[in-house]
Structure formats: C-alpha cells, structure tokens
Amino acid sequence: MNKKTISIMDTTLRDGEQTPGVALTPDEKLEIAKKLDGLKVDMIEAGSAIVSAGEREGIKKITRENLQSEILSYVRTLKSDIDSALECDVDAVHLVFPSSDLHIEKRLEKSKEEIKEMAIETARYALDHGLTVELSAEDATRAEKEFLKETFQAGIEEGVQRVCICDTVGMMMPEQIYELFSEFSNVIDVPLAAHCHDDFGVGVANSLAAIRAGGSEVHATINGLGERAGNAALEEIALAISEFYKNFKTNLDLDELYEVAKLVENYSGIPISPSKAVIGDNAFAHEAGIHTHGVLAEATTYEPVSPEKVGQRRRLIFGKHTGKHAIENELERKGLEASEKQIDEIFKRIKELGDKGKLVTDAEWSAIIDDVMGRGLEELVELEELTVTSGDAVTPTASVKVKYKDRTFIEAGVGVGPVDAAISAVRKVVAGISNIKLQEYHVDAISGGTDAMVDVVVKLTDGKRIINSRGSNEDIIKASVQAMLNGVNRLLWDKKLSEKEKEEDNG
C-alpha cells in the first residue's frame, strides 16, 4: 500500500514565539531551526521578516545554514513584507489574508473584493521574485466558503503552490473540520494545509481530521506553543499519524522529538507539563504497584508505545503507591542483591515518606538503599561556609566554600535575588569538580508558620544520568544549596561505587 506523505510546517519560531512572555534571540532561533531540520520537518516558518531588524537577523542566520527544510517567512498582503522576506533569502512565504467578515469589515474596514485583490497582487509579486507561496486564509473557519474558494482559486491560477485553511481561534470541532476539508479537497488541486489552534483543546484532533478528509499538510509547534491556548502540538500529531493512520506517513525522525522539545522548553522558558503527552516527564513514568509490575513484565501493558520511539526513557517513580516489584527491579538494575528482609525495610521507608506527602527523590531512594544495605553514602562534597549579601541598594551576592577530597573551592555568584546568587556560586563550584549541571529548580513544599520548613527539589545531570535531589531547611537559601550538594554527592558516590565494582570484577 502506498502511503500518503503528510508534510509538516513547523511554526514554533513564528506562531510559537507569539506565546506571551516568549522572545527568542537570533542564535536561539538558529539552534532550534537546526534541531528541527534534524527532526526532518518539511518546512520551518522562521519568523516574520517585517517585524524587526533582530527578526531579520535571526531568519538570515537560518537561511545561511542551507538546511534541508524549506525556510519560510510569514507575510501579510503587503509588498513591503515580501521585500523584507526577500532580504532574508527565504525559500518561501506564508502569505496570510483575513477571510472572515469579522476581520475584513470590523478589523480592517475593507471589502472582500479589496482583500482578494491585495492577496492576489501580493502573491503575484512574490512569485515573480522566485518565492514559493503558501496562500493562507486567516479565520477561515468563520469565513464565507464561496469567498474562500474564489480567493484560493484565483491564487492557484496565479501560480501559488499551496493553500491553507486556518482555524485561527479554534472555532470548529473535529467533525466540522472533517466536513470542511472534505469539501475543499474536492475542488482544490494543490496541497491543502491545516493550521489549527487549541482554544478548545482539539487542535491536534482537528489537524488529524483535516488529514483524513484530504489535507496533505499541517502546521504545528513544538510543545504546542502559541498564542492563548497554543497551536496544535507537533509531537502529538506526529506520533498519532505513526501509530493510528497507516495510510499516512511523515518524514519525521520521531526519536528526535524529546530532545527538540527540551531545547524549545529551555529557550522559551515555558516549562513542559510533566503530564504532557509524548514529551512530558511523566509520559513514561510509573509509580503504582500494579502498573510497575505490569510494565516490567510486559511494557505494552501500560505503555502505548516504546519511550525510545520518541527519544524518551521509562522512569519508575518511588512513592506511596510503589510496589515491591519496582524495588526488586531497580536493585537488580543496580546489580545489588538484597535479602527479603532488606527489601521489606526499603519498601517500608519509601511508604513512610510517601505517606507524608513527600516526593521520594532519586537521592533519597539511593540513600535508603545505601543505609539498609550498609553502603553508607560518603559526603564527598562538603559545604564549609555560605555567605549571602542582599538588600535594596545591593546586588545580591553569595560566596561558598566547599571541600572536595583534599581541595578547597571558593566561588562567588550574583543573581536577581539571594537564592539565585547562591545557586550561581554553587554551580561554579560544581563546574570545577565535575560536569554535573542543574536542569531544573523548584520549591516543592512549604509548611505554614513564620518558621516554615522549605523543601527545594532540583534536577541534576552528569550527562549519563538525571536525578532529583531535595534540600530541606527553614532558610530557602540553605535548602537550595543543600539540594544541589545532596544531588552532586549522590552522582559522585554512585560513580565511585560503579568504578570500584568494575575494578573488583576485573581483579
């Protein structure tokens, strides 16, 4: 069976950047574009060249890379927009015209005929300058169908290569999108694209409905970024096509999805929800005893696809719902042989932490094992001094003195606040000791009262492992530093144990 290839236009760098609070630098845009190219998206909407000099710089950086993906600029029905796009040496333009009466009459105070003429004239200008043109109808799901057909057909006769129906504010449900695309795919002779927003939580479902009804291209963003509730999420569309629609395929390398998602999270500053489909940290995480038992016996019992398919990994979480099978499996994975009595004790301690409402971090889980099995954690990195200076007229500054082996490390850091300054100083110390890096930081819980106990949880990585670690103290600065050092000690100790066991095996 010949599968129909569905083209993917990624608009993370344009529509995704319109997420409130997101502003990407030219270099950040370039790095994301290179990752998208590695993901093998067909088209990258790199921005809107008319917006600013910085925007044009970012687009130019991308076009100079000679990526395999087609590079587009978003443009309005203005020749000046086309000129700005040409300046950036893009391959194509995403030419958007308003199509609903609401936009044409209320926002622009023009007639349909004027809008149509502007769209076609601008398309002709772009085509005459050698650009590929995708003619896109803004707010098409609230537009008069005959006007859409007439404008699309006029554009096709002029030579535009693709057309797009935009559900700009998510005003249709999947069955309505299916009907609309079924009707238009029968009268449109060029590739028909869908641009769906997630205002009602059906952006991905609408994109899939459009494909089933004859569409051959979808617009999407990494992590579902975008204005208001965001755009259709690329990773969800891609995996759904792969798993459920055997008549269709994409050119994407799915195992690159997680890495691209984390890069976009890092640069955008918009955290991925742990429960986010496909690329959330909990997408392939299991805590409940029944689930962990099932997934260890046969992965497909509680995993619809292999985590490796999207570049993810399975995680067994330890907490109040943990069963003994998960504990036994993790001990086996670590190469440890525990007695039934020891397993019972580990099980008991994890349950006790869980019943207190605590997240059992990786460092705490390992500490429990070490304590029960007599493998006491040696404090390889020891905090000797912590000094913090802060005030209205003073830049928050922190200095730390840390002992590691027979060496003493002293570093200072500044930040937007005392906690940030302290973390900055500790990161400098850690950088001098190993390649361990801080990935995430958050305050996990705060008790009530003026002497509130603060729990800080950090996520650290040494490039091979990612672990969570906790620090608890009445002082959030001390809790933050302790969380960092607990995690560093955990990673260094595990590495030391592993090297020692290898030596014993070889000896």
Side-chain angles (χ1 to χ4, degrees), residues 19-208:
T19 302
V22 174
L24 302 170
T25 68
D27 286 338
E28 288 170 344
K29 281 200 166 194
L30 175 60
E31 286 304 307
I32 292 172
K34 288 161 72 173
K35 284 291 184 184
L36 292 170
D37 189 62
L39 182 61
K40 295 186 180 176
V41 300
D42 302 279
M43 294 155 267
I44 300 172
E45 190 171 29
S48 179
I50 195 67
V51 165
S52 68
E55 184 83 338
R56 288 188 289 279
E57 180 189 351
I59 297 173
K60 287 176 184 177
K61 280 178 175 283
I62 293 168
T63 56
R64 289 182 192 131
E65 286 292 315
N66 295 316
L67 303 177
Q68 293 299 308
S69 304
E70 178 186 270
I71 308 301
L72 302 92
S73 171
Y74 174 97
V75 296
R76 300 164 298 175
T77 56
L78 298 169
K79 289 183 179 179
S80 58
D81 281 30
I82 302 298
D83 289 336
S84 292
L86 288 167
E87 180 188 333
C88 297
D89 199 28
V90 295
D91 304 307
V93 288
H94 178 208
L95 174 56
V96 180
F97 68 94
S99 62
S100 67
D101 290 346
L102 184 64
H103 281 256
I104 294 171
E105 297 173 5
K106 301 295 183 181
R107 178 165 70 90
L108 299 176
E109 297 181 344
K110 292 184 179 293
S111 68
K112 287 191 180 73
E113 193 58 36
E114 286 177 296
I115 293 297
K116 177 182 172 183
E117 288 178 5
M118 290 173 65
I120 301 311
E121 184 179 343
T122 311
R124 184 185 305 121
Y125 184 72
L127 291 163
D128 287 344
H129 284 80
L131 293 169
T132 296
V133 177
E134 180 163 323
L135 185 61
S136 196
E138 181 183 15
D139 204 25
T141 52
R142 292 191 290 190
E144 184 184 54
K145 290 181 183 178
E146 288 309 310
F147 173 66
L148 282 180
K149 290 175 184 176
E150 288 174 11
T151 308
F152 281 156
Q153 197 56 49
I156 292 167
E157 290 173 3
E158 200 63 49
V160 303
Q161 290 90 342
R162 306 187 295 266
V163 298
C164 176
I165 292 174
C166 298
D167 190 15
T168 304
V169 289
M171 292 304 294
M172 280 190 172
M173 289 289 107
E175 63 273 17
Q176 295 169 303
I177 287 285
Y178 185 89
E179 290 177 8
L180 181 63
F181 272 78
S182 294
E183 181 178 340
F184 273 72
S185 64
N186 286 326
V187 296
I188 298 294
D189 295 328
V190 298
L192 177 62
H195 181 107
C196 299
H197 280 256
D198 208 35
D199 294 79
F200 288 88
V202 290
V204 170
N206 280 350
S207 301
L208 296 171

Side-chain angles (χ1 to χ4, degrees), residues 372-390:
V372 171
M373 299 187 67
R375 291 160 39 98
L377 172 67
E378 181 183 335
E379 194 173 16
L380 300 174
V381 178
E382 184 179 352
L383 177 67
E384 294 192 328
E385 290 181 17
L386 169 64
T387 305
V388 180
T389 304
S390 183

Side-chain angles (χ1 to χ4, degrees), residues 435-436 461-465:
N435 64 340
I436 296 171
T461 181
D462 60 2
K464 295 180 180 179
R465 293 183 58 210

Side-chain angles (χ1 to χ4, degrees), residues 338-356:
S339 67
E340 281 298 319
K341 185 177 180 180
Q342 288 173 325
I343 292 172
D344 287 342
E345 180 61 24
I346 293 168
F347 181 72
K348 175 187 171 185
R349 294 196 190 185
I350 288 173
K351 291 285 187 181
E352 286 173 350
L353 273 174
D355 282 338
K356 293 176 182 177

